[in-house]
Amino acid sequence: MTVRDFLVMGLQRRPLWLGTKRAHLERAQGLLADVRGETLGNRMLGVLSGGELQRVLLALALAQDPDLLVLDEPASGVDVRGGQLFCELLERLRREPGLHATDGQP
């Protein structure tokens, strides 16, 4: 399963084999952009590094537009650089609630 398919499953009610709406695909790509994972969409979920997987899971959590996000060991299995990137993402999300890739953020 690709990362994009994984995210789309969390956005739509119907099974993937019945197709996906363009809006869901665009939303999934926007969520990946939010967590600096734009290049991960076509990658297989099972081959991601620990840091990449954490970012994908964060994107999935953000898809629900939560008021509160509770993370249990978010840096578990992540290298130093990946942990730093993850912390930077969380800090950016804390400062800018409701942030989405369409808001013009890199």
Side-chain angles (χ1 to χ4, degrees), residues 12 28-29 31 33 60 84 94 96 106:
Q12 70 180 21
Q29 192 61 38
L31 289 165
L60 184 62
Q84 181 182 14
R94 185 189 66 76
E96 304 171 35

Side-chain angles (χ1 to χ4, degrees), residues 12 24 43 50 60 64 78 90:
Q12 70 180 21
H24 294 305
R43 303 251 325 263
L60 184 62
Q64 307 306 313
V78 177
L90 291 176

Side-chain angles (χ1 to χ4, degrees), residues 47-102:
V47 300
L48 298 178
S49 70
E52 291 168 337
L53 181 58
Q54 290 292 47
R55 286 189 280 155
V56 169
L57 294 174
L58 178 60
L60 184 62
L62 294 174
Q64 307 306 313
D65 294 320
D67 292 327
L68 176 67
L69 187 61
V70 179
L71 304 172
D72 182 26
E73 299 185 30
S76 177
V78 177
D79 64 11
V80 174
R81 176 64 187 128
Q84 181 182 14
L85 176 61
F86 197 78
C87 288
E88 289 171 5
L89 289 169
L90 291 176
E91 177 60 22
R92 191 172 118 228
L93 291 168
R94 185 189 66 76
R95 282 184 278 117
E96 304 171 35
L99 177 68
H100 295 290
T102 56

